[in-house]
Amino acid sequence: MNFKELNVRPEVVAALDKIQITDATEIQEKVIPLALQGKDVIGISKTGSGKTLAFAIPILEKVLPKKGPQALILAPTRELAEQIKNEIGRFGQRTGLTATAIYGGVGFERQVYDLRQCEIVVATPGRCLDHLRQGNFKVDRIRIAVLDEADKMVSMGFIEDVGVIFGQLPRQRQTLLFGATISLEVEKIKKTQMNDPVTVQAQVHVEEEFLDQFYYDVDQREKFSLLVHLIKTEDPHLAIVFCSSRQNADVITKNLQRQRIDAEAIHGGISQPRRLRIIEDFNRGKPHILVATEVAARGLDIKNVTHVFNYDIPINSEDYVHRVGRTARAGAKGKAISLLCQRDYGLFQAIFDRYRNLKITALEKPQFPRLMFDAGQRRFGSGRGRPFGGDRRGQRRR
Ligand code: ADP
Ligand code: MG
């Protein structure tokens, strides 16, 4: 179905046309009509399936200019809040409506001002609560509340805050909730904050047509050298290397840089302005390797990522699908390559157990030069925060 058939207002259809978005994705086709009828909706679909537009369109249909904040979208990270705000701005260009992003790590003053001027607020839960407590954010006209990335809200420990925030909104409102999966913790929000919600789900499968998935079985001590070899031979346009901790992301980034590979780390320990700048730069192709933790990259729409490398295997199987969903977006081809060593077997098996139809092909280990790897300083005692599993001897320089 196209957006005109979905009764989307002409200004928005035109704005979408301009960026070559004409036909609705499955989740959009399922959510938009229900949401336009005023129903509470839970939309479940994988990363990259167009959930933002699924809630942006109903908001742009229902909100009126110059009448104060009428829609609130809660997102788990600052980057995501920025991205949603920008997209709504783009889709709603000709509607006269403004969206603002509210998150921590930056000053209050500007946000206090924006909260008075805008109609659509995109916020992270912590800062949203701060503004509510200080009376900066008048919610009496909020008629649509959206919870985006509900599963991430749970894993980041924000779900209680979400409940508190939603509890302060007018009862007469519409609530939309989105995620790639919906866990038990989200059920509570559903029970207490939603009104007879309809759940719709887009088919859950990795776009196997466009995404090739591989893995290499290597010795822990060879992981880094193999990664460098793959970056050099695969020559990705843009690649994300996923790590399971901030320390790992930093150490790998440093080592990649030592190999003259333009890599940057992005994780929760990096300041907000810097994170935003790195994402923007990455979107422009420099750096062309982003070394990321789960949290930093979740939900972000970065185009033209040709390769995802799993340097560490994710602890939650679902994160695998989220990670590989960073590539092969919007019909472009992508490759996901996991590097596993013996201690990753269990986690990797769990991914297969959970997603039985995934096709991940084993590749023969190629010939590659062994590189020096500097594991940096250990900040923790044994067992915690070890960047590379293998023991110290394994990292001896040669
Ligand atoms: P999700 O929130 O489900 O992970 P996003 O809303 O971030 O997905 O959308 C992913 C990408 O798909 C974005 O670049 C968006 O512009 C694009 N997109 C969204 N809807 C459509 C559509 N109907 N047709 C083509 N591209 C779309
Ligand atoms: Mg999203």
Side-chain angles (χ1 to χ4, degrees):
M1 256 193 177
N2 65 37
F3 288 102
K4 219 157 127 199
E5 290 166 324
L6 285 167
N7 292 322
V8 175
R9 59 197 281 190
E11 304 93 306
V12 175
V13 173
L16 290 171
D17 252 352
K18 232 171 76 184
I19 47 176
Q20 273 115 48
I21 295 185
T22 49
D23 296 321
T25 63
E26 185 181 350
I27 194 72
Q28 290 161 359
E29 202 172 308
K30 286 180 170 165
V31 169
I32 292 169
L34 291 166
L36 289 179
Q37 284 168 38
K39 290 219 165 34
D40 280 9
V41 184
I42 296 176
I44 305 171
S45 68
K46 72 181 179 87
T47 305
S49 55
K51 291 188 283 295
T52 317
L53 203 47
F55 58 76
I57 284 181
I59 288 174
L60 292 169
E61 294 294 321
K62 291 176 185 230
V63 167
L64 301 169
K66 311 244 179 292
K67 299 232 182 286
Q70 296 149 71
L72 170 64
I73 299 148
L74 293 178
T77 65
R78 308 145 171 192
E79 286 85 358
L80 193 55
E82 270 291 325
Q83 185 174 296
I84 294 169
K85 179 205 78 175
N86 290 336
E87 279 195 60
I88 293 181
R90 219 156 39 123
F91 306 144
Q93 241 166 34
R94 310 180 187 183
T95 59
L97 299 169
T98 35
T100 190
I102 300 294
Y103 43 76
V106 294
F108 277 75
E109 220 168 287
R110 176 71 211 229
Q111 296 181 352
V112 173
Y113 175 83
D114 287 343
L115 280 169
R116 285 198 218 110
Q117 308 299 317
C118 72
E119 289 85 21
I120 300 159
V121 179
V122 191
T124 55
R127 184 55 70 94
C128 185
L129 273 178
D130 291 341
H131 282 292
L132 285 171
R133 287 193 191 110
Q134 295 178 16
N136 306 328
F137 180 15
K138 296 254 173 302
V139 294
D140 51 307
R141 291 193 156 167
I142 296 284
R143 43 182 307 202
I144 303 189
V146 178
L147 175 55
D148 194 19
E149 298 270 343
D151 33 340
K152 201 71 207 166
M153 290 288 196
V154 172
S155 65
M156 291 178 75
F158 294 156
I159 200 74
E160 304 241 322
D161 287 351
V162 170
V164 173
I165 294 167
F166 278 7
Q168 299 192 22
L169 304 180
R171 289 205 140 257
Q172 282 289 352
R173 63 150 203 273
Q174 185 176 11
T175 306
L176 309 175
L177 190 151
F178 292 88
T181 53
I182 298 296
S183 61
L184 282 176
E185 291 91 334
V186 176
E187 287 289 315
K188 198 173 152 201
I189 296 282
K190 180 176 159 188
K191 283 215 183 72
T192 57
Q193 301 296 338
M194 297 185 79
N195 177 21
D196 201 11
V198 185
T199 301
V200 296
Q201 185 159 6
Q203 280 182 19
V204 253
H205 58 80
V206 174
E207 296 275 350
E208 313 239 8
E209 251 181 277
F210 298 111
L211 177 67
D212 293 323
Q213 301 170 82
F214 303 104
Y215 72 89
Y216 289 98
D217 191 354
V218 284
D219 195 280
Q220 178 67 40
R221 285 166 295 191
E222 301 175 321
K223 262 195 189 184
F224 179 73
S225 304
L226 176 57
L227 176 67
V228 172
H229 174 77
L230 291 172
I231 289 174
K232 290 191 169 155
T233 52
E234 293 277 330
D235 193 19
H237 176 67
L238 291 180
I240 304 179
V241 177
F242 278 102
C243 298
S244 54
S245 73
R246 293 175 184 187
Q247 293 101 297
N248 273 12
D250 282 336
V251 169
I252 289 162
T253 304
K254 284 220 177 69
N255 280 276
L256 287 174
Q257 287 167 349
R258 278 178 35 171
Q259 299 296 329
R260 298 171 195 282
I261 291 170
D262 64 329
E264 288 288 344
I266 175 160
H267 55 65
I270 291 168
S271 78
Q272 162 64 6
R274 190 167 158 74
R275 273 157 82 175
L276 284 178
R277 211 182 61 226
I278 293 171
I279 296 275
E280 269 172 31
D281 289 350
F282 183 64
N283 265 316
R284 280 191 233 109
K286 195 126 188 67
H288 83 294
I289 309 287
L290 200 62
V291 185
T293 57
E294 227 75 63
V295 169
R298 170 60 82 77
L300 282 182
D301 176 40
I302 303 166
K303 287 201 177 61
N304 307 322
V305 174
T306 51
H307 291 70
V308 165
F309 294 99
N310 289 314
Y311 195 91
D312 296 318
I313 305 305
I315 292 164
N316 300 313
S317 312
E318 280 157 25
D319 286 337
Y320 176 85
V321 175
H322 287 295
R323 286 179 177 191
V324 303
R326 314 285 69 222
T327 181
R329 286 165 92 92
K333 277 203 85 104
K335 234 184 208 187
I337 301 176
S338 300
L339 308 183
L340 50 145
C341 61
Q342 203 163 4
R343 63 161 192 178
D344 299 319
Y345 290 171
L347 293 175
F348 206 60
Q349 184 59 45
I351 296 168
F352 281 104
D353 290 346
R354 164 127 205 199
Y355 300 97
R356 288 173 187 281
N357 50 3
L358 280 188
K359 196 167 143 265
I360 313 178
T361 312
L363 289 181
E364 200 69 39
K365 197 167 74 182
Q367 292 288 329
F368 54 89
R370 302 300 187 271
L371 304 168
M372 206 162 79
F373 184 83
D374 182 357
Q377 291 216 310
R378 301 231 188 144
R379 267 181 275 167
F380 300 101
S382 61
R384 282 193 63 204
R386 299 159 101 195
F388 293 96
D391 59 25
R392 240 211 174 9
R393 265 170 295 147
Q395 288 145 9
R396 196 191 307 152
R397 304 190 176 179
R398 45 192 107 205

